[in-house]
Each structure stands twice: as C-alpha cells, then as structure tokens.
Amino acid sequence: MEFHSVGVWNSVLTFSIAFKNLYKHQPNMKIMVAVKRVIDYAVKIRVKPDKTGVESQNVKMSMNPFCEIALEEALRIKEGGMASEVVAVSMGPAHCVDTLRTGLAMGADRAIHVDATGPLYPLSVAKLFKALVELEKPALLILGKQAIDDDCNQTGQMVAGLLGWPQGTFASKVVLDKEKQLATVDREVDGGLETLCMDLPAVITTDLRLNQPRYATLPNIMKAKSKVIKKYTPQELNVEIKSDLEVLQVTEPPKRKAGVIVSSVDELIDKLKNEAHVI
Amino acid sequence: MALPLRSALLRQTATCLRQHGQTAISRTSQNAALQRLLSTLAVLEQREGKLNMSSLASISAAQKLGGSIHGFVAGGNVKAVAEEAAKVEGLEKVIFVDNSAYDKGLPENWAPLLVENIKKGGYTHVLAGHSAFGKNLMPRVAALLDVQQISDITAIEGEDTFVRPIYAGNAILTVQSEDNVKLITVRGTAFPSGAAEGGSASTEEGADPKVDSPTEWVSEDLAVSDRPDLGTAEKVVSGGRGLKSKEDFDRVMTPLADALGAAIGASRAAVDSGFADNSLQVGQTGKNVAPQLYLCAGISGAIQHLAGMKDSKVIAAINKDADAPIFQVADVGLVGDLFEKVPELTEKLKSS
C-alpha cells in the first residue's frame, strides 16, 4: 500500500481542486477509457476438451477492437483541444499491463490496472469503474460497445446506471461542446441512426464506425515504457467481486454438414428448389 | 407446462442445496424455493403506436420457462398497443405506462421505470429482445437491481440455466445464475415469435416513477424500405466486398432480392466501403439472422460474419475464390464471377 502513498496524496489534491470545477467550466477535462485484453480477433478459438472454457494458453492476445476505437476517440478529443488527459484502465490479471502499454503507446497519458484474478463479469467491472470514476473524476468515460470474447455488451450501460450518468451507446459520431458541457452522439440503432444530446459527465460506448484506430509508432512504444501505470486491487477500491454466474460448460457449436459445390446456376436453383425447398 | 416447471423447481432446490449445504437453513430456503412461482415480465417494444413484432420473441422464450407471463409496454397513448399486445398468445396480463417520455426508449428514464415495475410485480425473470433497444436498456436495469444480466440467449435449459454463444459464436456457453431476478436478452432468431392473435390478456396500468432523463432525443435517420425486415426475413441475400462499388451492389443485389422476396444484408467489408447501409451489416457486431435461405455473393466468410448467419437453415454462396472459408459452411456453393452468376440467377428465378 505504501509504495504509492505519494501518488494517492497527489491524486487527493488534484481531485479536490478538480472537483470544484467539475460541473461548470472545465479546462482540464479528463477522459477515462476502458481497455480489455482479449484473444486476438483473428484467432480461431478452440474449446477445451474438458468443456470448462476456451484454450487461452499460447494464444495471441490483443486489445479488444472496440476498446481501440474507444481509445482512439479519446485521443482525438484530446488532440482537438477538448480534453487535457486520457487515462486508460484495464482490469484483470497481471498480463493486462501489456494491453495498457499498447494503450500508452497509442497516446494515453497514463494508465490504471485493477489487479483481479478469477472471472470478472461486467457487473463487477462496472462497480470497479464506478469506484475509479469517483476517485479520478473524469468528465467522460468511453468504452467499446462489447468485448469480442464474452460478447456481453453490458459494461458501459451498467457503469452509466451505477453512476446515474447518461449513456450514449453504439456511438458512430461524438461531438463535444465544452462550453455547455454537452455531448451529441449519433448512435447506430436497428434500421439506421439516432442522434442524442446529453449532459456531461457521460458514458459513451463505441461502435465500429466511430473511427479508424491509429497504430502505435516505435518512438511512442519506447516513450510508453516510462509512462505511469498505477495499480489498484478491488479491495483498495472497496468493491466486492461477486460471481453471479456459474459456468456449467463451454462446448463447440454444432457443426454444419458439408455442402456441395455445383457447377452452374441451373444446378444451384435445382438444389435450392427441389432438395432444400427454400425457393 | 407442468414438466418444465417441475424440473425448474428441482433445479432451484439443487441450487439452494449447493449454496447452503445440508443445514436447517437449506430446508427453509428449499421450501421458499418450492413456494416461489415463476413469473416473467416480457418487455415489448412499440413504435408510434405499433407493436414491434420481433420483440414478441421474449414471450416465446418466457413460455419455455413456464409460469405466468406479463407483457410490458410504455409510451404516449400506449393503451391501444397494450390492447394489441393483449391478443398475443401466452400473455396473462399486459402492464402499460402511458407517458410520452418513454416514446424514444431512452434508458435513463426507462431503467428506473422498469426497476419500479419489476419490484412491484415481484418478477423472477425479465426478458427483452437483444435488439438495439434491449441491449441499451437491460444492462442499466441490471446494474440498478445489482444483478448480472445474461445477454443474447439462444436456449433455456431450466429456470436458472441459459445457453448463449460467445467468441463470435465459436463456442457455446451454458451458465447458471443465482440472482433472485434473472435479467435476460433473447436472440430473436432462436425463439420464433408465437401467434399475435388468439390470446386474451387483461391490461393494467403500471407504476410510473417519472424520472427525468438527462439525455435529449434529437433526431433519427432510419432507412425506409419495403423489403422484409433483415432480422426476421425468411430469405436473405447478402453481398460483400466482391461487389466492388455501391452502384454494383444496388445493380446486382437488389433485383436478386426482389426476385426472391428477400431482405438485403451485407458483410462488414461492404458496409465499411460504403456499398451498403450500416444497418444491413450481418455478423458479430451487426445483426444476427437465421433465415430459411441465406444466399451470399462476394463474401469470403470471416468468422465475424459467420457469427451472424451460420444458424441459417440453408446457406448458398457464390464466390470466385474456391478456397473462400464461406464454402466450408455453405450447403450449396457455386464458384464463379458474381457479376455473371448473380444476374443469370436473377433472370432464371424471374422466369421460373
């Protein structure tokens, strides 16, 4: 605990100064971004033979693609002069630090790692984020719309609910008005787009089309090594990790029967009409 | 209905036993569990006074659970929608809240609204469709109730045991929830909606906490189309990067969709390149479809795309690359240039 006591005091000081300005004029707007370490999207996953989960040993891990988009958006907001600091946060085992380094190399100013082992469901992650938000007082929390491993699509909405903040989910465009402390968010909904306007602080979750994330350059990867990653445990944040869900089994999806290759359009129509009876 | 209910209760009893061990407490909670009956609130969607039929999937999922099922609708002048919903088979009661503040489905006021009505009704399960509305709202409700929501279920194995795809559908997870209220979103294509007629539920006004929303709805830009809805269509034709341009996409795919009476879908590559609208994307991050026929052209078959369509009954693929992964899941494959084959197919379908 004592190794970052100075850091804690610093953050208490900055926090009390920032707190006074938070909801009116805000020259030093901070953005917090959630990043999750997941199995790389291009990996063809394998289910473990004992059906307890999927094989994650010796498998390439990366930052969840939606989190990259979230971080990119935060960096663009900062580069547009609308924010002063971007803090990347990751939760889970020690290896999450690698993902945070990637985030720092992309341009995040500093990072926070919440060191937690065992299954972390979105509700627990949301509670940890709420605790961090209360500590760090960001004006904007940006997350990806879903993680490509559990495909839950819950964490952002849950944090917003716990904080009582507005939520702009599945965002494909975000425009901030610093003067009025408003965010205008275009959301991807069934059948098209919807535009919402919300007060800051707010939670935003990113859809694919929000932006194209940048690559970390070599000099920035070097620079990222000296940036600060602060570590917390759930206990330090006073969050009890409940495990509400019990995994009974993980299985392979049913295999489709091998199909046939036909050589002409007539044959294709024949198969669909007379064998499959679908046209 | 008696059987699933009984097995659900047995399962719940088993859960209690595992939690508390063989103690006096376990016997009382066992009794409590046996006395506690299942009751489900199915959150239904409405738009400008019309019930959204695809949201009825949560009712058919609820029927698999057993117990009583109440529907829930909210919005301005929603009484007529409530009466429409009352005719849906399987519902015992429709709870409605008439307040135009709920018209746009903003989760900031919808979440407290649902929490209030869930508490009032003492429901054991709350189900909503895994639609843009359900995905946006339900986790917020879950957080307010301090329960871990279960997303996008494809099967129900018991009162507390649910099946859902993970890793873009490449693994199937069975989970058990010990939360006292189960909050669930339902994959529409996995639970076909039942009859919209034939039911005779009562209607009842629900509680309205009238929480102000810090979010203001500004506008929307929805694609208007006479085609069947992509998520529920019987037939879907889908195009990918191989279509080359938006003009080609429209020129080649639209007549094929018309000839089949199919909805149009697209791969992420086609959407990102601007060939098709975002709302047409099929895949892990777009829509999940499970039509009778999924006919795709110029789609290689990346795992993220397969996640959204591999439950289709029949998959047909046209692609010039014989090694494209799509042919591993296609029931019928045709190797060839789509600019030649698709128009030929369209003509032959029209003339037959």
Side-chain angles (χ1 to χ4, degrees), chain A residues 59-77:
Chain A
V59 170
K60 187 185 176 202
M61 306 290 283
S62 305
M63 188 187 290
N64 179 43
F66 290 99
C67 302
E68 286 184 0
I69 296 170
L71 182 51
E72 175 66 34
E73 193 64 17
L75 296 172
R76 289 187 190 188
I77 292 170

mmCIF file of all heavy atoms in Angstrom, chain A residues 59-77:
data_model
loop_
_atom_site.group_PDB
_atom_site.id
_atom_site.type_symbol
_atom_site.label_atom_id
_atom_site.label_comp_id
_atom_site.label_asym_id
_atom_site.label_seq_id
_atom_site.Cartn_x
_atom_site.Cartn_y
_atom_site.Cartn_z
ATOM 1 N N VAL A 59 -1.934 -18.397 -26.866
ATOM 2 C CA VAL A 59 -2.806 -17.852 -27.894
ATOM 3 C C VAL A 59 -2.531 -16.352 -27.947
ATOM 4 O O VAL A 59 -2.319 -15.724 -26.914
ATOM 5 C CB VAL A 59 -4.292 -18.122 -27.552
ATOM 6 C CG1 VAL A 59 -5.215 -17.348 -28.473
ATOM 7 C CG2 VAL A 59 -4.599 -19.596 -27.614
ATOM 8 N N LYS A 60 -2.509 -15.805 -29.138
ATOM 9 C CA LYS A 60 -2.222 -14.370 -29.261
ATOM 10 C C LYS A 60 -3.339 -13.536 -28.625
ATOM 11 O O LYS A 60 -4.521 -13.733 -28.930
ATOM 12 C CB LYS A 60 -2.080 -14.001 -30.741
ATOM 13 C CG LYS A 60 -1.611 -12.572 -30.921
ATOM 14 C CD LYS A 60 -1.586 -12.159 -32.383
ATOM 15 C CE LYS A 60 -1.206 -10.700 -32.491
ATOM 16 N NZ LYS A 60 -1.631 -10.109 -33.736
ATOM 17 N N MET A 61 -2.928 -12.638 -27.745
ATOM 18 C CA MET A 61 -3.893 -11.758 -27.081
ATOM 19 C C MET A 61 -3.696 -10.335 -27.600
ATOM 20 O O MET A 61 -2.595 -9.934 -27.928
ATOM 21 C CB MET A 61 -3.683 -11.766 -25.568
ATOM 22 C CG MET A 61 -3.688 -13.137 -24.933
ATOM 23 S SD MET A 61 -5.297 -13.957 -24.916
ATOM 24 C CE MET A 61 -6.103 -13.103 -23.569
ATOM 25 N N SER A 62 -4.795 -9.573 -27.658
ATOM 26 C CA SER A 62 -4.706 -8.183 -28.111
ATOM 27 C C SER A 62 -5.706 -7.340 -27.358
ATOM 28 O O SER A 62 -6.515 -7.853 -26.596
ATOM 29 C CB SER A 62 -5.047 -8.082 -29.600
ATOM 30 O OG SER A 62 -4.246 -8.917 -30.355
ATOM 31 N N MET A 63 -5.644 -6.040 -27.655
ATOM 32 C CA MET A 63 -6.660 -5.151 -27.113
ATOM 33 C C MET A 63 -7.954 -5.409 -27.894
ATOM 34 O O MET A 63 -7.938 -5.536 -29.117
ATOM 35 C CB MET A 63 -6.222 -3.691 -27.278
ATOM 36 C CG MET A 63 -7.146 -2.699 -26.568
ATOM 37 S SD MET A 63 -6.741 -0.959 -26.919
ATOM 38 C CE MET A 63 -5.198 -0.760 -26.064
ATOM 39 N N ASN A 64 -9.067 -5.495 -27.179
ATOM 40 C CA ASN A 64 -10.368 -5.674 -27.819
ATOM 41 C C ASN A 64 -10.568 -4.582 -28.880
ATOM 42 O O ASN A 64 -10.350 -3.406 -28.596
ATOM 43 C CB ASN A 64 -11.443 -5.574 -26.722
ATOM 44 C CG ASN A 64 -12.841 -5.713 -27.267
ATOM 45 O OD1 ASN A 64 -13.110 -6.555 -28.104
ATOM 46 N ND2 ASN A 64 -13.724 -4.857 -26.786
ATOM 47 N N PRO A 65 -10.945 -4.935 -30.103
ATOM 48 C CA PRO A 65 -11.025 -3.937 -31.184
ATOM 49 C C PRO A 65 -11.909 -2.728 -30.851
ATOM 50 O O PRO A 65 -11.598 -1.608 -31.252
ATOM 51 C CB PRO A 65 -11.631 -4.727 -32.348
ATOM 52 C CG PRO A 65 -11.351 -6.155 -32.054
ATOM 53 C CD PRO A 65 -11.255 -6.295 -30.570
ATOM 54 N N PHE A 66 -12.991 -2.951 -30.130
ATOM 55 C CA PHE A 66 -13.865 -1.817 -29.789
ATOM 56 C C PHE A 66 -13.192 -0.891 -28.778
ATOM 57 O O PHE A 66 -13.479 0.304 -28.742
ATOM 58 C CB PHE A 66 -15.200 -2.322 -29.244
ATOM 59 C CG PHE A 66 -16.035 -2.978 -30.310
ATOM 60 C CD1 PHE A 66 -16.080 -4.344 -30.437
ATOM 61 C CD2 PHE A 66 -16.766 -2.203 -31.194
ATOM 62 C CE1 PHE A 66 -16.838 -4.942 -31.426
ATOM 63 C CE2 PHE A 66 -17.526 -2.797 -32.187
ATOM 64 C CZ PHE A 66 -17.562 -4.168 -32.305
ATOM 65 N N CYS A 67 -12.311 -1.459 -27.940
ATOM 66 C CA CYS A 67 -11.576 -0.634 -26.975
ATOM 67 C C CYS A 67 -10.559 0.251 -27.703
ATOM 68 O O CYS A 67 -10.312 1.384 -27.305
ATOM 69 C CB CYS A 67 -10.879 -1.508 -25.950
ATOM 70 S SG CYS A 67 -11.997 -2.577 -25.043
ATOM 71 N N GLU A 68 -9.959 -0.298 -28.775
ATOM 72 C CA GLU A 68 -9.030 0.514 -29.583
ATOM 73 C C GLU A 68 -9.760 1.729 -30.128
ATOM 74 O O GLU A 68 -9.233 2.842 -30.140
ATOM 75 C CB GLU A 68 -8.503 -0.307 -30.773
ATOM 76 C CG GLU A 68 -7.491 -1.358 -30.401
ATOM 77 C CD GLU A 68 -6.947 -2.074 -31.644
ATOM 78 O OE1 GLU A 68 -7.367 -1.744 -32.767
ATOM 79 O OE2 GLU A 68 -6.107 -2.968 -31.463
ATOM 80 N N ILE A 69 -10.994 1.498 -30.582
ATOM 81 C CA ILE A 69 -11.784 2.596 -31.135
ATOM 82 C C ILE A 69 -12.109 3.616 -30.041
ATOM 83 O O ILE A 69 -12.068 4.826 -30.259
ATOM 84 C CB ILE A 69 -13.067 2.043 -31.802
ATOM 85 C CG1 ILE A 69 -12.692 1.148 -32.990
ATOM 86 C CG2 ILE A 69 -13.990 3.167 -32.236
ATOM 87 C CD1 ILE A 69 -13.850 0.365 -33.579
ATOM 88 N N ALA A 70 -12.388 3.100 -28.843
ATOM 89 C CA ALA A 70 -12.690 3.989 -27.703
ATOM 90 C C ALA A 70 -11.483 4.862 -27.371
ATOM 91 O O ALA A 70 -11.597 6.079 -27.195
ATOM 92 C CB ALA A 70 -13.096 3.153 -26.489
ATOM 93 N N LEU A 71 -10.305 4.219 -27.336
ATOM 94 C CA LEU A 71 -9.092 4.965 -27.007
ATOM 95 C C LEU A 71 -8.785 5.986 -28.105
ATOM 96 O O LEU A 71 -8.441 7.141 -27.827
ATOM 97 C CB LEU A 71 -7.921 3.982 -26.817
ATOM 98 C CG LEU A 71 -6.586 4.576 -26.431
ATOM 99 C CD1 LEU A 71 -6.722 5.500 -25.218
ATOM 100 C CD2 LEU A 71 -5.577 3.475 -26.118
ATOM 101 N N GLU A 72 -8.934 5.575 -29.361
ATOM 102 C CA GLU A 72 -8.696 6.479 -30.481
ATOM 103 C C GLU A 72 -9.594 7.716 -30.352
ATOM 104 O O GLU A 72 -9.143 8.844 -30.557
ATOM 105 C CB GLU A 72 -8.960 5.756 -31.806
ATOM 106 C CG GLU A 72 -8.861 6.622 -33.054
ATOM 107 C CD GLU A 72 -7.452 7.126 -33.323
ATOM 108 O OE1 GLU A 72 -6.493 6.396 -33.024
ATOM 109 O OE2 GLU A 72 -7.310 8.272 -33.836
ATOM 110 N N GLU A 73 -10.848 7.504 -30.018
ATOM 111 C CA GLU A 73 -11.781 8.631 -29.914
ATOM 112 C C GLU A 73 -11.342 9.584 -28.798
ATOM 113 O O GLU A 73 -11.350 10.801 -28.975
ATOM 114 C CB GLU A 73 -13.199 8.111 -29.652
ATOM 115 C CG GLU A 73 -14.296 9.153 -29.828
ATOM 116 C CD GLU A 73 -14.413 9.669 -31.258
ATOM 117 O OE1 GLU A 73 -13.883 9.017 -32.178
ATOM 118 O OE2 GLU A 73 -15.026 10.743 -31.442
ATOM 119 N N ALA A 74 -10.935 9.007 -27.673
ATOM 120 C CA ALA A 74 -10.468 9.848 -26.552
ATOM 121 C C ALA A 74 -9.261 10.668 -26.984
ATOM 122 O O ALA A 74 -9.165 11.866 -26.686
ATOM 123 C CB ALA A 74 -10.121 8.963 -25.361
ATOM 124 N N LEU A 75 -8.338 10.030 -27.715
ATOM 125 C CA LEU A 75 -7.131 10.741 -28.154
ATOM 126 C C LEU A 75 -7.489 11.862 -29.130
ATOM 127 O O LEU A 75 -6.932 12.955 -29.069
ATOM 128 C CB LEU A 75 -6.147 9.754 -28.806
ATOM 129 C CG LEU A 75 -5.607 8.666 -27.866
ATOM 130 C CD1 LEU A 75 -4.805 7.629 -28.647
ATOM 131 C CD2 LEU A 75 -4.741 9.280 -26.763
ATOM 132 N N ARG A 76 -8.454 11.581 -30.017
ATOM 133 C CA ARG A 76 -8.862 12.631 -30.965
ATOM 134 C C ARG A 76 -9.523 13.788 -30.251
ATOM 135 O O ARG A 76 -9.336 14.950 -30.637
ATOM 136 C CB ARG A 76 -9.816 12.046 -32.005
ATOM 137 C CG ARG A 76 -9.107 11.120 -32.974
ATOM 138 C CD ARG A 76 -10.007 10.677 -34.103
ATOM 139 N NE ARG A 76 -9.347 9.603 -34.851
ATOM 140 C CZ ARG A 76 -9.803 9.092 -35.990
ATOM 141 N NH1 ARG A 76 -10.936 9.542 -36.509
ATOM 142 N NH2 ARG A 76 -9.155 8.135 -36.590
ATOM 143 N N ILE A 77 -10.306 13.488 -29.221
ATOM 144 C CA ILE A 77 -10.950 14.570 -28.460
ATOM 145 C C ILE A 77 -9.878 15.422 -27.790
ATOM 146 O O ILE A 77 -9.923 16.649 -27.813
ATOM 147 C CB ILE A 77 -11.933 13.989 -27.416
ATOM 148 C CG1 ILE A 77 -13.129 13.343 -28.122
ATOM 149 C CG2 ILE A 77 -12.404 15.076 -26.452
ATOM 150 C CD1 ILE A 77 -14.044 12.532 -27.223
#
